[in-house]
Amino acid sequence: MLDPLRTAAGEDQRTLKTEEPVIAERASRFQEEILIELIDSPEPDNEPADASSTLMLMALGAGYGDEVAITSTNAVAVEQIAQLIAQDLSD
């Protein structure tokens, strides 16, 4: 795995939840596993979520302004998912 890339979720007041299907669809285009982990999670058993699973992303519970770490062996995949998380996908 490459070093995790950190980014903040969303550029507006929406939660990541409206973007989860878009992120999962993009992540599923890659053969390599892509994991997203909530940084400073209040949950003691915080587990990274498979980025290609909408359900796992929903369970992650990231919202506006939350910092997440994205890891994969594919640097292009990490960068693309980070861009999706950081942008406003409501357009």
Side-chain angles (χ1 to χ4, degrees), residues 23-70:
I23 293 166
E25 189 279 325
R26 179 69 57 88
S28 69
R29 296 179 187 179
F30 296 96
Q31 290 183 354
E32 299 84 2
E33 181 178 55
I34 305 166
L35 298 174
I36 301 177
E37 183 175 6
L38 186 58
I39 304 298
D40 297 328
S41 173
E43 299 295 322
D45 58 347
N46 181 38
E47 293 285 328
D50 178 348
S52 66
S53 169
T54 301
L55 185 59
M56 299 253 330
L57 292 174
M58 290 172 65
L60 185 65
Y64 170 77
D66 286 341
E67 189 175 19
V68 295
I70 306 159

